[in-house]
Amino acid sequence: MVGEGNIECLRQENQCVPVTALAFITHQGNTFLLSGEGSHLKIIDYNRKVVRAKERLFRSQAIHGIIVQDSNQQSSTQWSHLVLVWGGCLIQVVRINLSSTWNESNECISCVGFKIEAKITAPDWILAAAFAPSQASRESGDRAVFVTAHNVLLLLEVRTPFSFLGHIDARLHLLCSGPQSILYSAHVLWQSASTALIAAGTVFGDITIWSCHMDNDPKPVFQEKSRSSLHQLLSGHEGSVFGVQLSPEIYYKGSPLRFLASCSDDRTIRIWLVSTAPSSNQAAINTNSASKDVQQDTGFRETRAVSELGRVLERPTACVAIGWAHISRVWGVCFLPFTMSPEEETLGLEILSYGEDATSRSWSLFCDIDSIVLQSQPQIEMKLHCNNTYSFHSGKSIWSVAICSQADGRSLIATGGADGRVISFITAYSSKARNKHVRVQLTSLTEHDRSVLRSTNSPIPPQRIAPRKTQSNKLVQSAKRHVKDGFQHYAPLRDGFLLMITCGGRMIVAKISNILSAQLSKSAGNMSIEGDSVAKTSQQVLDPIKTNGLNLTEVLEHASTIDSPHDIVVPSYQLVKSNSEENVAFLATSDGVVYGFDASTQDLERLLRVNGKLADMFLYYVPAAPETAMPDSSIRSEDQGYFLIAVLFIDSSISEIYRVATGQASKFRLLTLVPIRVQLPQHFVVTAFSFSEQHGVIILGSRSGSCTLYTIQADSTYGIDSPPIIEKYHAINSIHDDTITSIQLLQHENAGQVEQIDILTTSRDGSYAITHFTQAIETNSLFDVGASTSSLLHKSFSSQGPDSLEGAYFRDGTDELVTFGFSGTDFVVYSESQLLELFRVNCGNSNRSWMYSPPHSMRAGSFTFTRAGLTLTYEHTIDREPIVLQAGCHGRDIKAVAAVSIDVADSPVLYATGAEDCRIRLFVRSTKTYNRDIPSALINSNDKCAGVLKAHTTGIQDLKWTSHDQYLLSSGGRNECFVWRVRKIERFGYGAVQVTSTPKDSSLEALRITSIITVEINAENEAAGIKEERKRKYCTILSYSDGSIRAFIFDPKTDRMTYLFTVKPTHACLTRAAFFGYGHRGYLTTSSTSGFVDIYDWKWTTERLMLPQRLLSSTKLHQNAVKALLQTHLSSPHRFLLVTGGDDNALVFTVVQLDNRHGQTTPEDYVIFPARSAHAAAITAIVELTDPKSRLDVFDAGKDNLVFLTSGPDQLVRIWRIEVPKVLEKSGRTIFHVDEIGNTYTSVADVTCLEVIERSFSHVTVIVAGVGLEYLRVPVLKGLTDNNEGLPRGAISKREGKEYG
C-alpha cells in the first residue's frame, strides 16, 4: 500500500467514484474484473458478484488504464498474472495471485493475493499500452509498449521471478516517436514479436497510422536500434479524436484486411480500411527523419503536406462507413471479438462505442468481402448500423469498457461510468452467427418435418390440428397467400404458449419459440416453406439484419387454430384476458357473451351473457384458502380456486363482478348467477381492478388517477343466488395525474380494531405510488368519523425507466420491484429496486395491440405486438439481463448531503444526496461490522440506495432534515424548495412523497435557493418531556442568490408552508447560511460571494417566528467568495465559533462573544484567526467531528477543543484541531492553538460538502461528496486537551491567532 502521512488518523472505508479503467481476468472457469476507481484497484469476482480485494496504488493519481498478461503456471491451483496499471505519467507493476480451493460442498472458492511491485514514472502522459506476444519474451521476461500524449513509444522490460515471493525488475526505455502531434487517444497492436503498429488520434481531428520495428536480440533495446515508419494519415473527423482501435488482421483468400474504428468530438463513429505495415521491400517513411519537414493541418490554418508525406496521402485510403447515434461526444470505440472462416462470403464486424451521453451502443458493419479484395468499386461502401443502445448508467459519461469472449460466440461486456456504477451484460449473437444458426435450424426442414415438429412441441392433441396438404407444390403456394386479417389481441399462456386473436375472430395457439425461429428465419432472408435456401444478393448483404414480423399465413405454419363455437358464425372477440399460471383465458364478444378457454385441453366454453355492451373486462384469481373474509357455500372441496371477472359497460355507472370456479373435474363452473353490483362514483371510468380476499375489499382504479375501495359485508354467507353485499366504500382522490393502469396489494395487517392495507398503483403519467389505507373493523359505516383514512406513502417517477407505466410486479421470492411501460417509441422494463433497465424493444408506440409476459426463474418472458398488420415477438430472459456489479451513485456532481438517524434502537442511518442531475437519492447506511485489518470492500459494499426523488428541474443546491418527523427539505434553482415526507414501508424499503413547496412567485423564477435552515419552534415542549408530534412546526429560512432571506412556517399537520417575511439583501449572492439558537433566541449567520459574513439576532415564540431584531455585524473575512460556513456553539451560551473557507484558500476561525445584558444583544468582542493557504485551492467544505451536544462533558474548564475536517478542489482532506480559551482577554493578545493533525488524498474531485453520517465511542464516519462519494473513518482522538498526547504521528503546525478591532 502506498504510504502517506497520518494514515492512522484518516482511513478510507469505502468510495463510489468514477470508474476509469476495467479489465477482465479468467482463471479456471472463473472470471474476475479489475476495476480502477480513483487511485484504488479492485478485484471483483464476477461469478459471485463480490469484491475479493482492494488496494491503493497511487497516492494522488487516478487510474487511467489496465492491461493483463498471463505468467507461467505455478501449480494446478495457482496462477500468477502480471498487471500493468497506469495513470497520468505513473506506471505501477502489480502481480495478482489467484488460487482455488474447494469447500465441503465441492464448490470452488477463489482467493486473491496482491503484490505491488515496481513503480515507474514515465516522461509523458500515457494513453495506451500493450503486452508483447509471448514469443517476444526474453530471458523469462515480459515486454510492453506505451504510447504517450506526444506520440512517443516507450518500452517496459519486466523480469518476473519464478516464485511469487520474489521481486520484479522493471526498466523503461525510449524506443521511437511518430509524427509530432498532441494526442487525445491511441491504440497499439503487436504485428509480430518485433513490430508494433500504432494508431494515434490527434487533438486536431487527424489519425496517424505508424509502426515501430525493433531488433529482437537478447541485448537491451535502445532508441538507436528501433525505427519508425509512417503509413497513413487519415482526415475526416470534424473534432478531436477521442478514441481509436485497430482490428485484428483478417485473411480472406490470402489477402490481409485490417479496419480502424474511431470516434470524435463530432459525435460520429467512423470505420476506415487501413493497410498493414509495409514489408521490407516496400517504401516506408522514417518519421524520425521526416517529421521535421512535415507540416500537418491543425484545423486552424491552411497548410500543405510536403516531402515524402505527400506520397502517403495519395495512397487509396477511405472512410468506408460513418455511424451517427450518440447525442453527445463519443469517448471510445472498440471491436468485439469475432472469428471468420475461409468459406464466409460476408463480413459482419461488431463494434461497441460509449460516450458522454452515458450510453453504450453496439454496431454492425456489413460489407461484401469480394468487393474489398478485388476493389471492384472505386469507393468501397459499407453499412454501419446501430443495433442496440444500452442505457445502464445515469448522469454523464461512460469512461471505461472491458470485453471478454464467451464460448458461445457472444461477448461479455463490462462498463464503468462517472456514476461509479459497474454493469456487465452479454451481447446478442452477431449477425453472422445468427444467420448461420438460422440456416442450420430452419432451411433443412421439410414441410413434413415442420408438421411433425409442431405436433411434438404443442400440448394440443394432434387430431386437433387442422391437416395440411404438402405433396403438391401448388397447394403449398396457395398456403403462402396472405390472408387479409390482422392480429387484434394477445394473451400469454403457460409453458411458453401464446393465444392470438385476429380481427376476424380466429383463435390461434402458438409456441413462442416457434414464432421466434420463424421471425429469425424471415429476417435473415431464409424463410422458405419448402425448405429451399434463398440466395442472397449483394444488396441484401449490405442491409442490416432487422427483425421482420410474420403475417397470418406465416404464423399458421407454426401454430394451430381453435374451432369457433357452433352458436356463433363469425365471432368477434372484443376483450381477451388470461392467467398464464392457471393456463386459462376469458374472451368476451361485442354482444356481451363471455367464454372460458382451457389451453391444456383446447376447450372453449360459454360461461355467461351480460346485458349491455362491454367496455372492459378485468380478472383476479383467488386461490382456494381455508379462511377467507367471504364465506361461500358454493365453493366445493375439489375447486382449486375461483376467478373474479369484473365487467364494465359502455355509458353505465354500474360494474358487475362474476365468480367462476376452476377445478380438476370441471375447468369452469359459474358460482354466481346474480353478480356483485358495484355503484361507481360519477365520472369514474374503471381502468384497473384488484381484490383482497383476506378482508373482502374490492379496489378499483380510474382514468382520472383516483382509487375507490369497496368493502364487502363480513360474517355473511352467500351462494349462487345470493351475492355478497357491498357495505361501504372509500375514495382516494388524485393519487396520479393520469390513468391508473395496475393495482397490487403489498401487505395486510390487523392491529387490534384497525385494518391496514398498502396499495401499489402505476399510472400512464409515468409514476408509481404506494397508498396506506386504514379502517376501523368495528365501525358501522366507512363514512363514520375516524372510521377510515388513507395517506400517500410514496410517489415516484421512474428515474430512467418508462414515461408511461403499464404495470409492475415483484420478482419471484424477492422484494425487487419491476415496472414496465412505454418510453417514446420503445417498450421498456425497468427495475426500480436496482435502478436498471432490464429490457427494451422499439415497437412504435403504445397505440397498438401488445402483450407482455414477465420472465421467471424457470421460464422466459416475452413481448408481442402488432406492427403494420404483422406480429412480432421478442424473448425476455433473466440470464440475458444486465448485472449490477457495483451500484454506483449520481452521474453528476453531488452538491449536498444530509444525514438523519432514525429514532429506533440499532436502526441504520438514513441520508440523502442531491446532485446536478436534479435527482435526490436516499441511502440506507450499511450496518456491517467494520474491521480495519480486512479490506473495506470485503466488509462493506456501497450503502443501499433506498429510492430516487425526482421533482426538481434544476440542480440541487441544499438538503436539510427536520429535527423530528423525518421530513426532508430540498432546494434548487427557479425558486424551488420542496418538502418530502419519508417513511419506512414493508417489502419496499423507504418511501417518499412530496407534500408541499414554497409558494409560487413569478418574480423569483430566476433565483437559486442556496441554503436551507430548519428550526423547530416548540422546543420547550420537548425539554419538558411533552410529546406533541402533530403540534410541531418548523421555521424554514431560505437564502437566495440575490442576497435576500425569506422565512416560512412549515406545519406537518396540514403539510403547508406559509410565508412569513423577507429580509432585504445587504450583499451580493448568498452562498451559505447557519443557525445557532437556545431558548427563545438564535443567531443567523450568512456568507456571500463578496467575502462578507453577516450575523443576525433572531427571536421566536412557540407559535410563530418573529421578525429578526437587527443585523448585529457585517465583517469581511475573505478576499473573495465564502464557499464554506460552519457555526457551532462553545461552552458559554453567548459565545459561538464561526469557521469559514473561501476562494482565497484561507480557513478563518472567528470567535463571537455577545453581551446579552438588559435584554439587548450586542457584539462585545471578535477574535479572528485566518489560516492562510490552508489548502492549495478554494476551501469548499467544512464539518465538525466533535459532538457539540457533549462538549461540556468532554472538555476541561480552561478551554474548548474542537476538531474539524476541511476539503476542496485540491482533493486533500485535512483534519484540524483548535483550542479556544473560555475567557477572551480584554487586553493583550488572545492565543489560539490551531493544529493540522492529519491529511489524506481523496479520490473525489471537486469536493463540495462534508457530512457526518455516523458517530460512535470509537470513530466518526464522514462522507466526502463531489464527483462521487467517499467514506472516511476518523478515530476518536484521545487526549485532545494535551497538545501532543494521543495525536497521530506527523508534523503538527501551531499558529497564533490575531485579534482584530
Side-chain angles (χ1 to χ4, degrees):
M1 178 177 290
V2 177
E4 58 183 54
N6 306 311
I7 193 65
E8 296 296 328
C9 186
L10 294 170
R11 182 182 179 90
Q12 187 206 62
E13 180 181 327
N14 210 338
Q15 64 179 7
C16 179
V17 295
V19 181
T20 52
L22 292 171
F24 277 110
I25 294 181
T26 56
H27 169 66
Q28 293 186 350
N30 293 329
T31 303
F32 297 88
L33 180 65
L34 303 183
S35 174
E37 303 171 20
S39 58
H40 288 76
L41 180 65
K42 283 183 180 179
I43 300 183
I44 302 174
D45 190 337
Y46 174 79
N47 302 90
R48 294 166 180 82
K49 311 302 182 295
V50 295
V51 177
R52 291 296 185 188
K54 175 183 174 182
E55 200 68 48
R56 186 169 186 171
L57 300 185
F58 305 115
R59 184 183 185 278
S60 58
Q61 173 63 53
I63 296 174
H64 292 159
I66 305 170
I67 57 173
V68 180
Q69 173 79 319
D70 290 339
S71 299
N72 295 328
Q73 187 173 2
Q74 304 295 326
S75 66
S76 60
T77 60
Q78 186 173 354
W79 196 285
S80 179
H81 296 263
L82 180 64
V83 178
L84 297 182
V85 182
W86 70 89
C89 302
L90 302 178
I91 304 172
Q92 185 73 65
V93 182
V94 181
R95 274 193 296 166
I96 298 177
N97 182 38
L98 301 179
S99 59
S100 300
T101 58
W102 284 263
N103 57 15
E104 297 178 355
S105 302
N106 201 25
E107 295 177 345
C108 180
I109 302 176
S110 299
C111 300
V112 178
F114 254 117
K115 189 171 183 182
I116 299 177
E117 300 286 355
K119 180 179 179 181
I120 304 169
T121 302
D124 196 2
W125 194 280
I126 296 173
L127 297 180
F131 275 106
S134 57
Q135 62 268 26
S137 300
R138 304 174 304 159
E139 299 180 1
S140 301
D142 294 285
R143 295 194 299 172
V145 290
F146 295 87
V147 183
T148 69
H150 286 82
N151 216 6
V152 176
L153 193 67
L154 306 176
L155 176 69
L156 179 66
E157 291 185 315
V158 180
R159 300 185 183 274
T160 308
F162 182 78
S163 172
F164 184 74
L165 299 178
H167 293 284
I168 281 180
D169 180 24
R171 299 180 182 181
L172 190 66
H173 307 283
L174 175 64
L175 283 180
C176 58
S177 61
Q180 295 181 0
S181 181
I182 300 176
L183 308 183
Y184 268 173
S185 59
H187 181 239
V188 57
L189 190 69
W190 286 86
Q191 291 184 289
S192 65
S194 59
T195 303
L197 184 65
I198 299 98
T202 69
V203 175
F204 307 110
D206 295 331
I207 303 172
T208 58
I209 311 294
W210 62 285
S211 63
C212 175
H213 181 77
M214 60 201 80
D215 294 335
N216 190 19
D217 55 24
K219 299 180 181 180
V221 179
F222 298 98
Q223 183 177 5
E224 57 268 17
K225 291 191 176 183
S226 61
R227 58 185 182 274
S228 61
S229 301
L230 176 65
H231 307 305
Q232 291 175 346
L233 178 63
L234 309 177
S235 299
H237 279 294
E238 298 178 1
S240 301
V241 180
F242 292 133
V244 291
Q245 190 179 62
L246 293 160
S247 72
E249 204 165 43
I250 305 170
Y251 284 90
Y252 178 74
K253 295 182 180 179
S255 300
L257 299 174
R258 192 185 299 278
F259 292 91
L260 171 72
S262 64
C263 59
S264 168
D265 195 15
D266 60 8
R267 297 182 291 166
T268 62
I269 310 296
R270 294 176 184 257
I271 307 299
W272 315 76
L273 181 62
V274 298
S275 61
T276 60
S279 59
S280 57
N281 58 355
Q282 290 178 317
I285 299 176
N286 191 313
T287 60
N288 295 332
S289 60
S291 59
K292 297 181 180 179
D293 301 327
V294 175
Q295 293 182 348
Q296 298 184 37
D297 187 4
T298 64
F300 300 103
R301 65 173 185 267
E302 183 179 356
T303 59
R304 294 183 179 180
V306 296
S307 186
E308 299 180 4
L309 184 62
R311 295 198 298 271
V312 177
L313 296 178
E314 292 174 359
R315 296 177 182 174
T317 302
C319 176
V320 296
I322 300 177
W324 192 309
H326 287 274
I327 61 175
S328 57
R329 293 176 291 184
V330 188
W331 296 135
V333 61
C334 50
F335 290 95
L336 298 182
F338 68 94
T339 57
M340 180 176 176
S341 58
E343 62 271 11
E344 291 287 348
E345 299 177 356
T346 62
L347 177 66
L349 291 178
E350 303 291 329
I351 301 161
L352 185 75
S353 63
Y354 55 95
E356 191 180 25
D357 57 0
T359 65
S360 55
R361 302 172 189 263
S362 63
W363 307 75
S364 292
L365 179 67
F366 297 90
C367 61
D368 186 352
I369 293 186
D370 284 333
S371 66
I372 299 177
V373 176
L374 302 177
Q375 295 184 356
S376 57
Q377 303 177 7
Q379 181 75 19
I380 300 173
E381 295 183 359
M382 300 183 183
K383 186 85 171 180
L384 187 61
H385 178 255
C386 183
N387 298 325
N388 295 294
T389 299
Y390 305 104
S391 302
F392 302 143
H393 295 266
S394 62
K396 292 178 61 176
S397 295
I398 293 177
W399 291 120
S400 55
V401 165
I403 302 173
C404 182
S405 299
Q406 300 291 290
D408 57 2
R410 297 182 293 177
S411 298
L412 173 63
I413 299 176
T415 59
D419 56 357
R421 169 173 276 202
V422 179
I423 298 291
S424 67
F425 58 95
I426 298 178
T427 60
Y429 288 100
S430 65
S431 55
K432 272 198 320 170
R434 184 166 53 200
N435 295 344
K436 189 174 182 180
H437 173 76
V438 170
R439 276 198 297 273
V440 173
Q441 295 294 329
L442 294 179
T443 58
S444 61
L445 297 178
T446 63
E447 182 64 23
H448 175 71
D449 295 332
R450 296 189 183 196
S451 178
V452 173
L453 181 63
R454 285 195 300 271
S455 301
T456 303
N457 292 339
S458 176
I460 307 170
Q463 62 269 18
R464 298 299 303 271
I465 302 178
R468 303 180 186 276
K469 298 180 180 180
T470 58
Q471 301 298 325
S472 172
N473 291 334
K474 184 176 181 180
L475 292 179
V476 171
Q477 293 296 330
S478 63
K480 295 172 60 177
R481 294 175 183 175
H482 179 66
V483 179
K484 293 184 178 180
D485 195 0
F487 299 96
Q488 186 178 18
H489 299 288
Y490 303 100
L493 300 174
R494 195 167 54 196
D495 300 327
F497 280 83
L498 178 68
L499 175 64
M500 307 191 307
I501 310 296
T502 68
C503 298
R506 182 176 300 190
M507 295 178 58
I508 303 172
V509 176
K511 194 171 181 61
I512 294 178
S513 59
N514 293 345
I515 299 298
L516 289 171
S517 299
Q519 284 182 179
L520 210 58
S521 177
K522 184 177 181 180
S523 301
N526 296 326
M527 186 70 179
S528 175
I529 296 182
E530 298 84 8
D532 299 333
S533 60
V534 180
K536 299 179 182 178
T537 63
S538 59
Q539 183 64 32
Q540 288 175 324
V541 173
L542 291 176
D543 288 339
I545 297 297
K546 296 181 179 180
T547 303
N548 293 328
L550 305 179
N551 57 35
L552 181 58
T553 302
E554 294 165 340
V555 169
L556 291 176
E557 289 295 324
H558 300 270
S560 63
T561 58
I562 307 301
D563 296 334
S564 301
H566 299 289
D567 56 346
I568 299 180
V569 180
V570 182
S572 177
Y573 300 105
Q574 185 177 1
L575 302 170
V576 179
K577 303 291 181 179
S578 69
N579 186 292
S580 59
E581 298 298 330
E582 296 300 315
N583 206 25
V584 298
F586 294 90
L587 303 88
T589 62
S590 56
D591 56 354
V593 180
V594 179
Y595 293 87
F597 174 67
D598 184 358
S600 58
T601 61
Q602 298 290 292
D603 291 329
L604 186 65
E605 180 181 346
R606 176 169 174 166
L607 299 179
L608 57 97
R609 184 186 186 108
V610 298
N611 297 322
K613 294 185 177 180
L614 296 182
D616 209 341
M617 180 173 64
F618 305 94
L619 289 184
Y620 188 88
Y621 180 68
V622 181
E627 296 181 1
T628 63
M630 298 173 55
D632 193 347
S633 60
S634 60
I635 297 294
R636 300 174 183 174
S637 59
E638 64 270 16
D639 290 335
Q640 298 176 345
Y642 64 91
F643 281 93
L644 290 179
I645 305 177
V647 295
L648 186 67
F649 301 96
I650 299 177
D651 298 330
S652 176
S653 60
I654 300 294
S655 177
E656 295 182 351
I657 301 177
Y658 296 85
R659 296 181 303 123
V660 177
T662 59
Q664 295 291 344
S666 176
K667 192 64 179 178
F668 302 107
R669 187 171 59 85
L670 188 62
L671 298 178
T672 307
L673 294 179
V674 180
I676 306 173
R677 296 183 180 273
V678 177
Q679 180 68 42
L680 302 177
Q682 188 176 8
H683 307 299
F684 191 95
V685 179
V686 180
T687 57
F689 171 76
S690 186
F691 178 69
S692 171
E693 62 273 15
Q694 183 177 358
H695 303 294
V697 177
I698 299 172
I699 309 170
L700 302 179
S702 72
R703 185 176 296 173
S704 62
S706 302
C707 275
T708 301
L709 285 77
Y710 295 85
T711 303
I712 297 177
Q713 185 178 9
D715 300 330
S716 61
T717 60
Y718 50 89
I720 190 169
D721 296 324
S722 57
I725 301 174
I726 299 296
E727 183 181 32
K728 44 195 172 182
Y729 83 93
H730 177 80
I732 308 176
N733 298 320
S734 303
I735 300 177
H736 300 278
D737 298 329
D738 203 343
T739 302
I740 293 178
T741 54
S742 71
I743 300 175
Q744 288 192 46
L745 302 182
L746 294 185
Q747 67 168 358
H748 312 80
E749 289 184 1
N750 284 339
Q753 300 299 317
V754 178
E755 177 182 322
Q756 302 181 22
I757 302 175
D758 287 346
I759 305 168
L760 171 66
T761 56
T762 61
S763 172
R764 289 205 174 106
D765 63 0
S767 67
Y768 66 96
I770 299 176
T771 306
H772 183 71
F773 171 71
T774 303
Q775 73 171 359
I777 299 177
E778 298 298 332
T779 57
N780 295 325
S781 174
L782 203 62
F783 297 101
D784 291 347
V785 178
S788 63
T789 59
S790 61
S791 60
L792 191 61
L793 296 182
H794 178 76
K795 183 177 180 180
S796 175
F797 291 85
S798 187
S799 179
Q800 292 179 283
D803 298 330
S804 173
L805 296 183
E806 297 293 336
Y809 62 93
F810 286 92
R811 284 283 173 89
D812 294 337
T814 67
D815 293 338
E816 180 183 358
L817 176 63
V818 179
T819 60
F820 58 89
F822 294 88
S823 178
T825 60
D826 294 345
F827 177 81
V828 180
V829 181
Y830 189 80
S831 173
E832 300 291 344
S833 301
Q834 299 188 73
L835 303 177
L836 181 67
E837 180 183 299
L838 304 178
F839 181 74
R840 178 183 288 264
V841 172
N842 189 327
C843 62
N845 54 53
S846 60
N847 298 323
R848 59 186 69 247
S849 299
W850 62 273
M851 179 278 302
Y852 173 67
S853 177
H856 295 273
S857 57
M858 303 300 296
R859 63 174 177 83
S862 62
F863 174 65
T864 305
F865 64 97
T866 302
R867 183 169 61 191
L870 306 177
T871 181
L872 291 93
T873 298
Y874 288 82
E875 189 177 43
H876 179 195
T877 58
I878 295 179
D879 60 346
R880 292 290 303 277
E881 292 177 352
I883 299 174
V884 180
L885 299 178
Q886 187 165 283
C889 188
H890 297 273
R892 302 289 298 273
D893 293 11
I894 299 174
K895 294 297 185 181
V897 179
V900 61
S901 180
I902 304 173
D903 296 332
V904 178
D906 300 327
S907 61
V909 175
L910 183 69
Y911 62 93
T913 60
E916 288 183 349
D917 59 0
C918 310
R919 303 291 190 271
I920 301 170
R921 291 182 180 238
L922 298 177
F923 288 90
V924 179
R925 177 70 176 157
S926 176
T927 57
K928 295 183 180 179
T929 305
Y930 179 81
N931 187 344
R932 62 177 298 171
D933 298 326
I934 302 177
S936 60
L938 300 177
I939 304 166
N940 186 2
S941 60
N942 292 336
D943 294 346
K944 181 181 179 181
C945 181
V948 178
L949 311 183
K950 179 181 175 182
H952 285 274
T953 58
T954 60
I956 309 299
Q957 294 289 319
D958 198 14
L959 296 171
K960 285 292 188 301
W961 291 91
T962 58
S963 56
H964 297 85
D965 305 316
Q966 268 188 251
Y967 284 90
L968 175 67
L969 283 78
S970 61
S971 68
R974 301 187 63 184
N975 188 32
E976 292 179 344
C977 181
F978 300 123
V979 181
W980 308 82
R981 183 177 59 240
V982 181
R983 295 291 184 269
K984 184 75 166 60
I985 305 175
E986 294 295 330
R987 199 186 174 186
F988 181 77
Y990 286 90
V993 59
Q994 178 192 338
V995 295
T996 187
S997 63
T998 53
K1000 298 294 183 181
D1001 190 342
S1002 59
S1003 63
L1004 305 178
E1005 284 291 321
L1007 299 183
R1008 290 179 292 114
I1009 301 177
T1010 58
S1011 189
I1012 304 174
I1013 300 294
T1014 61
V1015 181
E1016 186 177 343
I1017 60 175
N1018 62 340
E1020 71 283 355
N1021 291 337
E1022 292 295 326
I1026 303 175
K1027 294 184 178 180
E1028 299 182 75
E1029 297 182 1
R1030 302 300 294 176
K1031 293 185 178 180
R1032 290 193 185 104
K1033 294 183 181 180
Y1034 298 94
C1035 176
T1036 303
I1037 306 171
L1038 307 178
S1039 63
Y1040 283 77
S1041 56
D1042 65 346
S1044 62
I1045 303 171
R1046 288 172 173 82
F1048 301 83
I1049 286 289
F1050 169 63
D1051 188 356
K1053 184 176 182 180
T1054 60
D1055 286 338
R1056 288 187 179 181
M1057 186 174 285
T1058 307
Y1059 170 77
L1060 290 180
F1061 56 82
T1062 300
V1063 179
K1064 295 182 179 180
T1066 57
H1067 296 288
C1069 172
L1070 297 182
T1071 56
R1072 297 290 179 184
F1075 188 88
F1076 161 64
Y1078 63 95
H1080 295 282
R1081 183 177 299 278
Y1083 301 101
L1084 175 68
T1085 305
T1086 62
S1087 61
S1088 65
T1089 55
S1090 59
F1092 279 83
V1093 173
D1094 297 344
I1095 302 176
Y1096 293 87
D1097 182 21
W1098 291 63
K1099 288 184 179 180
W1100 69 88
T1101 66
T1102 58
E1103 296 300 327
R1104 58 173 294 165
L1105 193 69
M1106 304 302 291
L1107 293 176
Q1109 294 292 314
R1110 56 174 174 157
L1111 176 65
L1112 294 182
S1113 66
S1114 180
T1115 308
K1116 187 175 179 63
L1117 297 181
H1118 292 268
Q1119 297 178 0
N1120 300 312
V1122 180
K1123 293 291 188 178
L1125 170 66
L1126 185 143
Q1127 180 177 0
T1128 182
H1129 68 81
L1130 298 176
S1131 55
S1132 173
H1134 301 291
R1135 298 171 72 241
F1136 59 87
L1137 176 68
L1138 295 179
V1139 186
T1140 56
D1143 264 345
D1144 54 1
N1145 307 355
L1147 180 65
V1148 178
F1149 299 92
T1150 305
V1151 177
V1152 181
Q1153 181 166 316
L1154 302 173
D1155 183 7
N1156 195 30
R1157 292 172 295 181
H1158 309 295
Q1160 297 293 327
T1161 303
T1162 58
E1164 180 182 358
D1165 199 358
Y1166 292 92
V1167 178
I1168 303 174
F1169 172 78
R1172 305 297 183 189
S1173 301
H1175 282 261
I1179 299 174
T1180 56
I1182 303 172
V1183 69
E1184 182 182 1
L1185 298 184
T1186 48
D1187 189 359
K1189 298 179 182 179
S1190 58
R1191 181 162 296 141
L1192 296 177
D1193 299 331
V1194 176
F1195 300 110
D1196 60 38
K1199 53 190 174 182
D1200 289 326
N1201 288 268
L1202 301 93
V1203 181
F1204 300 92
L1205 282 185
T1206 61
S1207 188
D1210 61 354
Q1211 293 186 248
L1212 277 179
V1213 178
R1214 300 181 185 270
I1215 180 170
W1216 305 82
R1217 185 188 67 173
I1218 178 173
E1219 297 178 358
V1220 182
K1222 289 194 173 183
V1223 178
L1224 296 180
E1225 300 179 5
K1226 293 296 182 180
S1227 61
R1229 303 180 63 186
T1230 297
I1231 302 300
F1232 279 3
H1233 293 289
V1234 178
D1235 306 328
E1236 181 187 352
I1237 58 178
N1239 65 77
T1240 186
Y1241 170 80
T1242 175
S1243 299
V1244 177
D1246 297 332
V1247 176
T1248 56
C1249 58
L1250 300 167
E1251 180 76 5
V1252 175
I1253 62 171
E1254 184 181 8
R1255 295 183 188 271
S1256 71
F1257 66 93
S1258 61
H1259 69 274
V1260 177
T1261 303
V1262 179
I1263 283 185
V1264 183
V1267 184
L1269 292 173
E1270 189 172 68
Y1271 304 84
L1272 292 180
R1273 178 177 290 255
V1274 185
V1276 173
L1277 303 179
K1278 299 180 181 179
L1280 282 176
T1281 57
D1282 195 328
N1283 290 339
N1284 297 316
E1285 182 182 352
L1287 296 179
R1289 296 179 179 179
I1292 299 178
S1293 58
K1294 189 172 296 183
R1295 307 166 186 176
E1296 291 185 353
K1298 297 181 180 180
E1299 183 175 354
Y1300 294 82

